[in-house]
Amino acid sequence: MTAVTTTTVQLGPGVIGHNDLTFAEVEAVARHGARVELTPAALAALGRGRATVDRLAAAPTPAYGISTGFGALATRHIDPELRAALQRSLIRSHAAGMGPLVETEVIRALMLLRLKTLASGHTGVRPIVAETMAALLNSGITPAVREYGSLGCSGDLAPLAHVALVLMGEGEVIGADGKPTETAAVLIEQGISPLVLEPKEGLALINGTDGMLGMLILALLDFSRLLKVADLTAAMSVEAQLGTDRVFLPELHAIRPHPGQAASAANLLALLKDSGVVASHRGPQGSPTECNRVQDAYSLRCAPQVAGAARDTLEHAATIARRELDSIIDNPVVLLGEDRVESNGNFHGAPVAFALDFLAIAAAEVGSIAERRTDRMLDVTRSHGLPPFLADDPGVDSGLMIAQYTQAALVSENKRLANPASVDSIPSSAMQEDHVSMGWSAARKLRASLGNLARILTVELVTAARALDLRAPLQPAPGTAAAVAALRRRAVGGPGPDRYLSVELRAAEDAVRDGSVLAAVEEAVGALR
C-alpha cells in the first residue's frame, strides 16, 4: 500500500443498478489508504435490515441462516441459546485458508466491497458490524488471508472468514514487519472492540464475491494502463525496425469499426508523429503519401488489431465489474420494504470468473505479439541494419540476447495462465455445492499474468530504446524520444560489456509500473486513449 491519501470514500445504502462506488475509489482504499465513512442513510438501512432479522429470529418457524445450520446442515433448527456459538463456529471453521499470504491491496479491496454490501441493509447485520469493518480499514489493519480456500461459490468463503475472524478479535493480522501477528493486541492498541456476532451476521460476512471482484477491478485498472504502454512499445518497435505508420491511418480502421482497434491505431499515429526515422524511408520525393515499406510483419502491422481486441475485452469485463459492484451478494438476503428474507444463488461467481479468464487470454496475446516484435529487433537478418542482439561488440557482448529469453519464458508462462479456471468445477459440502465458479483462482492467475505482461513490455521497451539509439543520427518521434529519455533518467541504457542487465531491466520495470514512462510520453504528445 502506497502513502496514505486524504481521500474519504462515503458508503451509502445505494440503489440497485446505481451504486456510487467507483473503480477509482476501490483503488484509493485498496492501494492508497483512503478512509471510508458510512453515511446516515446507510446506518438507517442497516437498522431496517436488522429489524427484519430480529423478527425472524424470534419466530418459531426456522429461517435459513438465522435459526438453522448452514450448507448441507441447513435442516437443523438451532435453539436461541446456541445461536451465538453457531456464529463463532461458522467463522472459525470456515477460516481454513492455507498457503502464502494474499496481498494487502487485495484484502483491503475485499473488505471495502463487503462493507459496501453490508451498508445496503440487505444483509441484516447490526450497524456496529459495518462500523467495525470500517474501523479496521481506517486503522490500516489488514487481516491475514491465505492464498487457497475459495472455490468461488457461496462467495469467497475462506478469505472472507479470515476477515470476519479478525472482527471477532481472533485470528491474525499483518504486522508492521509484513508477518502475521495475533489480532487481539492490535485491536486493543487501535481501540477497536471485538464483535460478538448475532444471528445471520456470520453468514453475511462471508457470503460474497468480494475477493474476486476486488481483484477484477484492480486488474482492469492495471491492464488499462498496460495497454497504453503496449501501444508505446509497439510504436517504438515500428520506428526502430523502419516500419510504416500508414497502416494506422484512421480511414483504414473506420472500415472495421472495433472501438479498441481505432483507439490503439490513433495512439500509434500520435506516438509516431514527426518521426525522423519514419520520414527517412518515405518515397523519393519525401511525400507523406509514399513509403517503400507497405508490408511490415504482422507483429508490427497488426498491433492495433491485437491491442484493440484486448481493449474491447477489457471494456466487456468492466461492464461485468460495474454490474457486480452495483449488486447485493448475500444468502439469504433481506428484501427491504418487503420485510422478508429469501434464499438465492447470487453468490455464484460465474459472471466474474468468465470475465477474469477472458482478460487472461487477452493479456497473453498482448504479451505474445510484443515478444515477436522484440525478437525481430535482435535478429540481424530481419532488423534492417541493426547489429546482432543490439550488442556494442557482437561476440564479446551478447547484447539483449538473454533479455529476450526472459521475455519468452514470461510469454510461455502467460499462455499457461490463459487456460481458463472457470471451466473447472469440483463438488463440495456433501454435494450441496455441486457446481462452483473457481473465480478466486481465475483472479489469482490474472494477477500473475498482468505482472508478467508488465515485464514482457519492459523488455520490448528497453530493446526498442536501444534500437532507436542505434538509428542515430535519425531522430525518433517526440513521443518515443520522451520514453527513451525517461529510461535514461532511471540509468537504463543500451547494454555494454560492463552493464548488469538485470538491474537495468528491473529499473525499467519500475518506471513502467509507477507510470513515469507513460507520464513523460503523454506530456510530449498528449493523453493517449
Side-chain angles (χ1 to χ4, degrees), residues 236-421:
M236 294 172 71
S237 291
V238 167
E239 198 173 25
Q241 294 175 67
L242 305 182
T244 179
D245 60 352
R246 294 195 54 77
V247 295
F248 309 132
L249 292 172
E251 54 265 35
L252 296 175
H253 299 277
I255 61 177
R256 194 189 191 194
H258 293 287
Q261 177 179 322
S264 180
N267 285 344
L268 285 160
L269 271 184
L271 289 162
L272 292 170
K273 184 179 179 181
D274 298 328
S275 169
V277 181
V278 173
S280 72
H281 53 85
R282 294 199 190 280
Q285 286 78 42
S287 167
T289 62
E290 298 178 14
C291 181
N292 59 17
R293 298 294 306 282
V294 295
Q295 286 287 299
D296 290 326
Y298 288 6
S299 61
L300 304 175
R301 200 184 343 158
C302 302
Q305 283 77 7
V306 174
R311 274 185 164 78
D312 292 341
T313 301
L314 186 142
E315 185 53 43
H316 166 72
T319 298
I320 300 300
R322 282 189 287 268
R323 289 174 185 159
E324 195 76 359
L325 194 56
D326 286 346
S327 301
I328 305 299
I329 307 297
D330 194 21
N331 181 51
V333 67
V334 178
L335 296 176
L336 295 178
E338 300 184 33
D339 197 32
R340 61 192 175 94
V341 172
E342 292 285 352
S343 184
N344 65 91
N346 285 336
F347 49 73
H348 199 290
V352 181
F354 292 175
L356 289 160
D357 279 336
F358 201 178
L359 288 174
I361 292 170
E365 280 302 286
V366 172
S368 179
I369 197 171
E371 185 274 331
R372 289 293 80 208
R373 293 190 295 259
T374 303
D375 183 65
R376 296 186 74 83
M377 287 183 281
L378 301 180
D379 184 350
V380 70
T381 67
R382 295 180 291 149
S383 64
H384 305 286
L386 295 171
F389 303 106
L390 308 184
D392 286 329
D393 185 5
V396 174
D397 173 15
S398 294
L400 288 161
M401 178 193 295
I402 308 304
Q404 188 268 334
Y405 281 33
T406 299
Q407 189 187 43
L410 292 164
V411 167
S412 184
E413 173 72 10
N414 271 8
K415 291 175 183 177
R416 291 191 293 273
L417 291 171
N419 185 55

Side-chain angles (χ1 to χ4, degrees), residues 1-5 26-35 102-109 111 136-142 174 218 447:
M1 189 171 67
T2 58
V4 174
T5 179
V26 173
E27 183 177 38
V29 173
R31 289 178 167 159
H32 308 306
R35 294 177 61 81
V102 175
E103 303 86 356
T104 293
E105 67 177 31
V106 172
I107 305 312
R108 286 184 62 84
M111 293 168 68
L136 290 185
L137 283 167
N138 292 339
S139 298
I141 297 173
T142 304
I174 305 302
L218 295 176
R447 283 180 66 84

Side-chain angles (χ1 to χ4, degrees), residues 398-487:
S398 294
L400 288 161
M401 178 193 295
I402 308 304
Q404 188 268 334
Y405 281 33
T406 299
Q407 189 187 43
L410 292 164
V411 167
S412 184
E413 173 72 10
N414 271 8
K415 291 175 183 177
R416 291 191 293 273
L417 291 171
N419 185 55
S422 57
V423 299
D424 189 21
S425 181
I426 188 165
S428 58
S429 192
M431 293 298 286
Q432 175 73 4
E433 298 166 11
D434 58 352
H435 186 275
V436 297
S437 76
M438 302 307 296
W440 176 274
S441 298
R444 298 307 294 166
K445 69 184 184 64
L446 177 59
R447 283 180 66 84
S449 180
L450 291 177
N452 288 343
L453 179 59
R455 298 180 187 100
I456 291 164
L457 295 175
T458 295
V459 175
E460 183 182 17
L461 177 68
V462 170
T463 302
R466 169 66 173 160
L468 288 173
D469 282 346
L470 292 168
R471 292 295 183 194
L474 298 176
Q475 291 298 307
T480 57
V484 175
L487 289 180

Side-chain angles (χ1 to χ4, degrees), residues 13-302:
V15 177
I16 304 303
H18 300 282
N19 196 289
D20 292 332
L21 190 62
T22 66
F23 292 176
E25 288 173 329
V26 173
E27 183 177 38
V29 173
R31 289 178 167 159
H32 308 306
R35 294 177 61 81
V36 297
E37 182 180 285
L38 293 164
T39 66
L43 295 172
L46 283 158
R48 291 195 302 273
R50 187 63 202 176
T52 299
V53 169
D54 287 342
R55 180 183 61 79
L56 292 172
T61 305
Y64 174 66
I66 297 172
S67 54
T68 71
F70 310 109
L73 304 176
T75 57
R76 180 181 169 184
H77 183 265
I78 307 298
D79 293 333
E81 62 271 15
L82 297 177
R83 290 174 190 171
L86 172 66
Q87 303 304 310
R88 288 195 303 275
S89 174
L90 173 71
I91 299 305
R92 289 170 177 168
S93 66
H94 283 53
M98 297 181 70
L101 291 169
V102 175
E103 303 86 356
T104 293
E105 67 177 31
V106 172
I107 305 312
R108 286 184 62 84
L110 174 154
M111 293 168 68
L112 172 67
L113 295 174
R114 197 67 215 145
L115 179 56
K116 181 269 303 181
T117 295
L118 297 179
S120 71
H122 285 277
T123 66
V125 302
R126 292 167 295 152
I128 188 62
V129 175
E131 290 170 330
T132 305
M133 181 80 85
L136 290 185
L137 283 167
N138 292 339
S139 298
I141 297 173
T142 304
V145 175
R146 301 290 172 170
E147 176 89 14
Y148 303 107
S150 174
L151 299 177
C153 202
S154 286
D156 293 314
L157 287 174
L160 284 162
H162 281 277
V163 174
L165 205 61
V166 171
L167 291 171
M168 293 164 50
E170 301 181 17
E172 297 175 317
V173 298
I174 305 302
D177 59 358
K179 296 180 181 179
T181 187
E182 293 296 320
T183 295
V186 176
L187 293 189
I188 291 171
E189 181 182 330
Q190 295 295 328
I192 298 173
S193 299
L195 294 173
V196 177
L197 299 180
E198 295 188 2
K200 176 69 173 67
E201 292 179 339
L203 207 53
L205 287 168
I206 66 175
N207 216 318
T209 58
D210 310 288
M212 63 184 93
L213 176 59
M215 286 186 277
L216 174 57
I217 290 171
L218 295 176
L220 288 168
L221 296 167
D222 292 340
F223 201 2
S224 178
R225 294 162 187 147
L226 287 175
L227 285 171
K228 292 183 181 181
V229 176
D231 285 342
L232 168 64
T233 59
M236 294 172 71
S237 291
V238 167
E239 198 173 25
Q241 294 175 67
L242 305 182
T244 179
D245 60 352
R246 294 195 54 77
V247 295
F248 309 132
L249 292 172
E251 54 265 35
L252 296 175
H253 299 277
I255 61 177
R256 194 189 191 194
H258 293 287
Q261 177 179 322
S264 180
N267 285 344
L268 285 160
L269 271 184
L271 289 162
L272 292 170
K273 184 179 179 181
D274 298 328
S275 169
V277 181
V278 173
S280 72
H281 53 85
R282 294 199 190 280
Q285 286 78 42
S287 167
T289 62
E290 298 178 14
C291 181
N292 59 17
R293 298 294 306 282
V294 295
Q295 286 287 299
D296 290 326
Y298 288 6
S299 61
L300 304 175
R301 200 184 343 158
C302 302

